[in-house]
Amino acid sequence: MSSPFPPQASGPPSDSAAGDVRVLNKIEAAKASRCGLDLAPELQQLAERGWQQLDEATLTIHLKWLGIFFRPVTPGRFMVRLRLPNGVIRSDQLAVLAEAVDRCGEEGSADITTRQNLQLRGLLLEDMPPLLEALQRVGLTSRQSGHDNPRNVTGNPLAGIDPEEFIDTRPLTAAIQAALLGDEAPRNLPRKFNVAVGGAPDSFLLHNDLAFLPSQRGAELGFSVMAGGFFSGQRNELAVPLGLWLPPELLADFSLALMRHFARSGNRAVRTRTRLLYLIESLGLEAYREHVLAELSDLRGAPTALRVLPHDGSHLVQRAPRDVCGVHPQKQKGLQWVGLNVPLGRLDAEAMAELARLAQRYGSGELRFSETQNVVISDVTDRDLPPLLSALSEPRWTRHFRTDPGALMAEAVSCTGNRYCSFALIPTKTTALSVLEELERRLSLPHGLRLHWTGCPNACGQPYMGQIGMMGAKARHEGQMVEAAKLFLGGDMGADPKLADLHHKGVPLTELTDVLEDLLVQRFGARRRATPV
Amino acid sequence: MLALGVPQPLSSAMVRPVMSPMSPDLPPARMPPPTLDPCNLPAPEATDRWGFLQRLRRGRPPLAAWLVSIESGRTPLLPDLLASIQPHLDAEASLRLLRFWLQDPARNPDLADSLAAHRDAAHGQLLRQALLTALERPSPGSDSGDPGRPADALTIQLPPLLGYQRCPEDFHLLRAMALASHPTPVRLAAMEGLLRGLSAWPLQPLGVALRSLARDHQPRLAAAAIDALARLPHPRAALHPLRAHPYEPELAARLQRRLRASPPSRLLLLVHGRSGGQIPEALEQFAADLQLRREAPVSLITLTGFQEPMPRPTLDVHGPTPCLVPLLLLPGQHVRGDLAAITQALRRHGSLRRLPFLGAWPLWQRALAEEAASLADAAGGSRPLLLHHPLEGPLPRRYLQHLATLCAAECVASPYSSPISADPFLAHNRPLLPLVLAANRLTELLEPQVGSLQAAPLLQRPRLRRKLLALLDALP
């Protein structure tokens, strides 16, 4: 790796790296001034007094430690992002969230995120105290889900029910979350920190800062550690092997040690170079590995650190993630999961309430969100399957979720778009929806295809991971500046992962459907229907 | 190299780099980046614009130069540019841009929200003035006051932003806009303004306005008002009466959902009771009817039977705080002394809300007055007698005077042990109203003298029973 920073001396990490910022930048100064978690007891009072009492740093930075996001595009209407380790949620929990969104009326909605998470939109500050109380009551939290914090810990969306899984990732993601939010964890990281655990042959996770991929070491199943994944407007990297192997019970402690080291040693001076990747580069891979092991040794003792073994980085992830949609047998005999496509991950209150009801009525009451922004109802018996499918086929629900989506819609992923994000250059979700529906009408495809949509180069919609990626842009068209999309091709999340390359610098949105139609026919085996459906 | 857990040194060669750096939008490595001056801003379609804007957002741009360039029209204020300079805007700079936008005839409506993100008196004043001006501006080709006429765009864009400013003085303007016969989008915008400033408005008039809007013929307004009422303190009291409104099914379902999310609290009805703590059947039936109606637990506690230690009430720790309702009619010793002790004892089991004694409720007093008026009508205008247990002290005296005036009646002390002889009053056709909820010694001793109708306690009088049920049903 090339290094933008001079390498640091090897040896135990310094405690003063965070303090290297001689003059704290605005964000670091705000973070240093108080911990957002301290706002929790004041929230009721703030809601009653009105948040005009809040200064800008509290409003736009500190509240994110409670999972509350001020949105400049909708001032006064807030977003709450939850934490759902492994994307698992119970129907009673989802029902509580549906009620919170419902009372926001036309402003209320929820997005399934690419981190198997859920974020609620349209909330007033007055909604926060009762919502956070309700979350606690049903065992949910929104804590530290934004800004420079460890984000939702992702895992195999089919964990525990997957006939192909090597290991159930649910207890592992839960343990990691507990460690990263626990008393020993830092509350002020240089930047956000993404962790994921793979449990199946299709667990593509190399876009994370820290990913644990299932790996065999002799007869023992454990995890190969991958680190430094990072997508941004400036740079895109997949995580690389750190050369370490862990038994499952060490994942939480190792994650904590790595995050503590990151908090202390990561660069805080230049916001664009604060992700873990840059720390690894600044130290060099081998030195970085030593620092993390030293941190683990300090934290849990040398015997624990000695259980971390050298490794060649090989792992058991062999192919791109499955399409979870449809009815599939679970590893438990007589049970199946029903995967539902939620078009581009957007839900309204009514759909959320119905999903909760269906999971309760026809499943075990458990649902999971996938990184493709879809949802899985698990543990459906043979007897309950027909009535569930019948309920899902009611016309009023097919707009919200389908078990048999088209080949383009099933795994389409999208960022929020300019309705809620001031950086997005196009209305991502509505554009994607209309383009995909039209393409499905015109074309038939022999297999599913992964299309990723993002509104700006920040790449929240992960366009480089799609077989086709779209990125919002502006372009000149017939003398006018118009909304457009850059096209990327060739993203591969299989055994030999590859990021997509730029294919077109800016297709006007008015021509995007036609351009994609040709592309799908020429390169992806699509066939034009004789009569569009 | 530390030997922790890594017996053999690993080299970078052992690990397989999966991907090499990819920088599609980065400028060539050796080119110095352009300074953050407005003249260097790439055109909207340029591939290097986004990178420039990110540097602008994170760097230290010459803000004054940017403001001048935007105000002079040299640099178009597009959403991506605004998002990038917004973090650098202090209150004064923000105000300048907002003023510029408001005065720009070709203003981009998408910028409205982001431009008003600062909250201070100056922003509020500017937005208020702009809104008032827009409201006064006649729409071309349409009659003033026509709800169907197209609205000035600012009358739709500005109310939410004004509400966001949370200046209490703006409540009246936003309320008036929401209630007036403006085009629906304008009323909805005003409603959104009310919502975004919810905590800043005076509670009582806000509640009145929202209750009115919740019955609006425009379903989107009514829905928003129902949702807003659900956010006020004790939402059930405001939402419950709306059940009688003839809503379309969708709105009725919305109201039901809000009510379900505001479950009624458990009521502990404190009544006098009879000797030994016995509860008259009429009170038990009343409590049962109330429980059925509220779909929440209702318990009876008697003064005569109250003793410590109290059995621990079975309360849902996550449910709403239970409420002690003293169904006591007069400010006697029970109210002035016993009630505080009982409340204190109950609070040892957990939080408890205590209401004033029933006799102090204006709505109950009004109900008594209506009953007295009805009795007087039936008796040819003769003033009723309100029979009450003898009370002493200035407070009870003032209370009884107030009640007598309110009910156009005469209050007469009548001990339970030896009630007054009713004969003289009956001879003068004076109707009686014993101030007791359920049968007690007074009513039992009176009944042979005056008959069951005249001696009937208050809960046996249908109008009063219905009224008390409704009052208690509406409690949070």
Side-chain angles (χ1 to χ4, degrees):
Chain A
M1 290 185 188
S2 62
S3 171
F5 301 105
Q8 293 183 356
S10 61
S14 154
D15 282 340
S16 62
D20 283 350
V21 189
R22 288 178 181 84
V23 180
L24 293 178
N25 63 45
K26 207 164 86 175
I27 291 174
E28 285 298 327
K31 285 157 59 186
S33 69
R34 78 181 302 183
C35 174
L37 293 176
D38 295 339
L39 283 171
E42 300 171 34
L43 204 54
Q44 178 71 45
Q45 204 185 356
L46 287 171
E48 285 170 3
R49 282 208 318 252
W51 43 263
Q52 60 270 44
Q53 309 290 335
L54 299 179
D55 59 68
E56 291 301 312
T58 303
L59 190 62
T60 59
I61 296 176
H62 296 131
L63 277 176
K64 288 179 181 169
W65 266 250
L66 300 178
I68 300 171
F69 292 64
F70 172 77
R71 300 282 77 191
V73 179
T74 56
R77 292 283 188 176
F78 289 75
M79 181 184 94
V80 164
R81 183 184 291 149
L82 300 168
R83 297 192 74 95
L84 301 173
N86 218 112
V88 178
I89 189 168
R90 296 194 314 266
S91 58
D92 63 315
Q93 295 171 327
L94 188 58
V96 164
L97 304 180
E99 164 64 22
V101 170
D102 189 31
R103 64 160 57 189
C104 298
E106 296 171 16
E107 301 293 324
S109 67
D111 286 338
I112 303 171
T113 75
T114 52
R115 294 203 67 78
Q116 299 179 282
N117 203 352
L118 205 57
Q119 48 197 29
L120 317 180
R121 296 183 184 278
L123 298 154
L124 303 175
L125 195 67
E126 286 80 1
D127 294 333
M128 299 307 165
L131 175 60
L132 297 196
E133 193 184 311
L135 293 183
Q136 191 177 22
R137 196 166 64 233
V138 296
L140 286 174
T141 184
S142 58
R143 183 178 150 168
Q144 291 175 260
S145 55
H147 218 279
D148 296 344
N149 275 300
R151 301 301 181 84
N152 195 44
V153 185
T154 61
N156 177 11
L158 306 171
I161 59 175
D162 184 358
E164 296 188 54
E165 76 179 354
F166 306 114
I167 189 167
D168 183 347
T169 55
R170 289 174 299 175
L172 302 171
T173 54
I176 292 172
Q177 170 162 306
L180 299 190
L181 303 187
D183 293 341
E184 296 174 296
R187 305 277 179 264
N188 179 357
L189 300 181
R191 203 74 163 94
K192 68 178 173 182
F193 181 64
N194 291 334
V195 186
V197 184
D202 61 344
S203 294
F204 178 85
L205 301 172
L206 299 181
H207 50 302
N208 288 275
D209 295 285
L210 174 62
F212 298 105
L213 299 188
S215 173
Q216 208 77 38
R217 196 173 191 283
E220 198 177 353
L221 179 68
F223 291 90
S224 179
V225 182
M226 316 291 282
F230 173 44
F231 290 173
S232 77
Q234 283 81 29
R235 191 166 169 190
N236 301 281
E237 297 287 351
L238 294 174
V240 298
L242 195 53
L244 297 174
W245 181 94
L246 306 177
E249 61 274 17
L250 237 56
L251 262 54
D253 283 343
F254 184 86
S255 302
L256 177 60
L258 189 143
M259 193 174 83
R260 283 165 60 110
H261 176 258
F262 176 48
R264 205 172 54 247
S265 306
N267 172 35
R268 292 173 187 261
V270 184
R271 287 289 288 175
T272 51
R273 295 186 171 182
T274 47
R275 288 288 288 270
L276 184 68
L277 163 72
Y278 293 99
L279 175 61
I280 298 172
E281 283 190 344
S282 71
L283 294 172
L285 192 63
E286 290 177 24
Y288 175 70
R289 186 168 56 228
E290 290 168 21
H291 279 245
V292 173
L293 289 171
E295 183 78 30
L296 179 63
S297 180
D298 288 346
L299 183 68
R300 293 288 180 259
T304 299
L306 281 169
R307 297 179 61 202
V308 179
L309 301 175
H311 192 57
D312 63 2
S314 62
H315 52 74
L316 299 169
V317 175
Q318 300 297 329
R319 61 173 201 264
R322 276 162 287 181
D323 171 10
V324 299
C325 298
V327 179
H328 304 267
Q330 294 184 189
K331 68 179 185 184
Q332 295 86 0
K333 193 166 181 293
L335 294 178
Q336 37 261 309
W337 87 73
V338 178
L340 305 174
N341 170 241
V342 178
L344 305 163
R346 181 146 293 166
L347 292 164
D348 62 16
E350 193 183 20
M352 293 164 75
E354 180 64 3
L355 279 175
R357 188 188 75 80
L358 293 174
Q360 184 64 44
R361 171 70 183 81
Y362 300 110
S364 60
E366 186 182 86
L367 303 105
R368 293 109 179 281
F369 297 124
S370 73
E371 287 184 299
T372 48
Q373 301 173 317
N374 289 325
V375 63
V376 168
I377 297 176
S378 62
D379 307 318
V380 180
T381 64
D382 294 339
R383 193 190 60 189
D384 284 329
L385 186 61
L388 171 59
L389 295 178
S390 169
L392 288 167
S393 66
E394 284 182 27
R396 66 182 175 136
W397 298 124
T398 51
R399 188 170 58 88
H400 296 286
F401 26 76
R402 301 182 60 162
T403 54
D404 57 346
L408 299 174
M409 190 67 87
E411 296 176 274
V413 163
S414 164
C415 75
T416 276
N418 63 3
R419 183 178 168 197
Y420 295 116
C421 173
S422 45
F423 290 108
L425 298 169
I426 59 171
T428 323
K429 283 196 193 284
T430 50
T431 302
L433 201 58
S434 64
V435 168
L436 291 175
E437 281 176 351
E438 179 59 20
L439 288 172
E440 302 264 16
R441 216 173 65 81
R442 295 183 192 175
L443 302 173
S444 68
L445 278 102
H447 48 72
L449 205 62
R450 215 173 254 272
L451 276 74
H452 285 228
W453 301 73
T454 202
C456 79
N458 272 335
C460 299
Q462 305 165 338
Y464 309 113
M465 284 164 56
Q467 287 160 287
I468 304 177
M470 267 68 57
M471 178 187 289
K474 299 288 181 196
R476 285 270 164 204
H477 181 61
E478 296 175 351
Q480 299 286 319
M481 187 187 56
V482 296
E483 292 178 330
K486 293 179 185 176
L487 298 189
F488 295 84
L489 291 183
D492 187 344
M493 292 191 263
D496 190 16
K498 181 180 177 304
L499 296 180
D501 294 319
L502 184 64
H503 172 72
H504 196 298
K505 281 166 49 176
V507 179
L509 294 189
T510 50
E511 297 179 358
L512 186 58
T513 310
D514 294 339
V515 170
L516 285 174
E517 180 182 353
D518 290 343
L519 201 58
L520 290 165
V521 170
Q522 290 160 13
R523 297 206 183 193
F524 294 96
R527 301 183 70 169
R528 289 191 172 88
R529 297 179 196 274
T531 312
V533 293
Chain B
M1 160 118 196
L2 296 173
L4 299 169
V6 187
Q8 295 176 353
L10 275 165
S11 71
S12 292
M14 289 177 66
V15 296
R16 178 175 57 100
V18 177
M19 187 57 207
S20 59
M22 176 181 149
S23 311
D25 287 335
L26 280 181
R30 289 181 188 170
M31 289 262 294
T35 61
L36 294 175
D37 294 306
C39 59
N40 289 327
L41 175 66
E45 71 277 18
T47 53
D48 54 350
R49 180 179 172 95
W50 192 85
F52 182 91
L53 289 176
Q54 291 303 302
R55 290 201 302 116
L56 187 65
R57 184 164 72 99
R58 296 192 165 112
R60 295 173 187 269
L63 189 59
W66 280 96
L67 292 176
V68 168
S69 186
I70 291 167
E71 287 168 337
S72 67
R74 288 195 298 275
T75 301
L77 184 56
L78 297 177
D80 59 350
L81 172 61
L82 179 58
S84 302
I85 63 170
Q86 198 178 36
H88 306 294
L89 298 177
D90 56 18
E92 191 184 339
S94 168
L95 201 63
R96 272 177 69 174
L97 279 188
L98 179 59
R99 190 176 288 120
F100 162 76
W101 180 79
L102 285 167
Q103 290 169 352
D104 181 4
R107 60 182 159 264
N108 180 347
D110 295 341
L111 302 181
D113 282 338
S114 300
L115 278 166
H118 268 275
R119 301 180 317 277
D120 61 23
H123 281 75
Q125 172 67 21
L126 185 58
L127 289 166
R128 187 178 312 116
Q129 199 50 53
L131 178 56
L132 288 169
T133 305
L135 284 168
E136 286 165 7
R137 210 162 22 233
S139 292
S142 62
D143 297 331
S144 175
D146 173 8
R149 73 186 163 93
D152 184 312
L154 287 179
T155 62
I156 297 170
Q157 289 163 353
L158 297 186
L161 306 181
L162 194 58
Y164 166 73
Q165 292 291 327
R166 296 199 170 204
C167 304
E169 65 189 274
D170 291 323
F171 170 67
H172 302 289
L173 173 58
L174 293 171
R175 176 182 61 178
M177 285 180 69
L179 289 167
S181 58
H182 288 299
T184 300
V186 176
R187 299 183 67 206
L188 284 167
M191 183 72 218
E192 178 64 14
L194 287 172
L195 281 165
R196 292 198 196 183
L198 203 61
S199 301
W201 317 134
L203 200 54
Q204 198 273 339
L206 173 66
V208 171
L210 291 177
R211 285 195 289 276
S212 169
L213 287 164
R215 293 181 170 91
D216 199 275
H217 70 279
Q218 168 50 250
R220 292 169 69 195
L221 263 172
I226 288 170
D227 293 336
L229 283 169
R231 292 174 164 105
L232 299 188
H234 311 305
R236 192 179 151 79
L239 292 171
H240 195 260
L242 296 176
R243 291 194 307 184
H245 191 73
Y247 283 122
E248 293 294 312
E250 200 172 310
L251 270 179
R254 174 170 289 275
L255 176 62
Q256 273 308 111
R257 292 198 297 275
R258 295 297 85 82
L259 276 167
R260 262 202 309 275
S262 315
S265 55
R266 176 184 177 179
L267 294 187
L268 306 173
L269 305 182
L270 179 67
V271 296
H272 191 284
R274 305 197 66 168
S275 61
Q278 189 193 349
I279 299 174
E281 189 185 337
L283 278 171
E284 286 190 332
Q285 187 56 52
F286 180 80
D289 291 351
L290 183 60
Q291 179 163 304
L292 200 64
R293 194 157 151 165
R294 283 174 62 84
E295 297 174 357
V298 175
S299 310
L300 285 164
I301 300 174
T302 62
L303 284 165
T304 50
F306 186 82
Q307 54 187 358
E308 292 195 67
M310 272 281 294
R312 176 178 282 273
T314 51
L315 300 177
D316 174 6
V317 290
H318 298 309
T321 305
C323 183
L324 178 66
V325 188
L327 293 185
L328 304 173
L329 302 177
L330 302 163
Q333 183 52 40
H334 294 317
V335 166
R336 286 176 290 155
D338 300 341
L339 184 54
I342 290 170
T343 305
Q344 200 177 8
L346 287 170
R347 280 186 174 149
R348 282 197 276 274
H349 297 295
S351 63
L352 179 79
R353 201 159 69 90
R354 192 193 85 183
L355 297 187
F357 75 102
L358 177 63
W361 297 11
L363 289 174
W364 172 251
Q365 292 174 3
R366 196 181 304 165
L368 281 179
E370 286 167 6
E371 183 71 11
S374 169
L375 292 175
D377 282 350
S382 197
R383 292 182 78 199
L385 297 178
L386 306 185
L387 303 183
H388 61 87
H389 190 274
L391 298 170
E392 289 179 1
L395 173 67
R397 265 201 302 279
R398 281 203 304 277
Y399 177 81
L400 289 168
Q401 282 166 5
H402 162 74
L403 202 60
T405 305
L406 189 74
C407 297
E410 188 179 337
C411 292
V412 177
S414 181
Y416 294 166
S417 50
S418 56
I420 58 164
S421 166
D423 290 346
F425 305 112
L426 293 173
H428 292 91
N429 200 24
R430 301 286 296 273
L432 302 180
L433 191 58
L435 293 180
V436 296
L437 279 181
N440 67 359
R441 275 180 295 163
L442 172 66
T443 58
E444 285 167 357
L445 289 167
L446 270 178
E447 191 175 334
Q449 297 182 59
V450 301
S452 58
L453 278 181
Q454 284 274 55
L458 302 182
L459 284 184
Q460 285 180 27
R461 297 171 185 256
R463 185 169 29 216
L464 279 172
R465 191 180 194 275
R466 276 198 306 274
K467 185 69 185 176
L468 186 56
L469 263 180
L471 285 175
L472 298 181
D473 187 20
L475 288 177

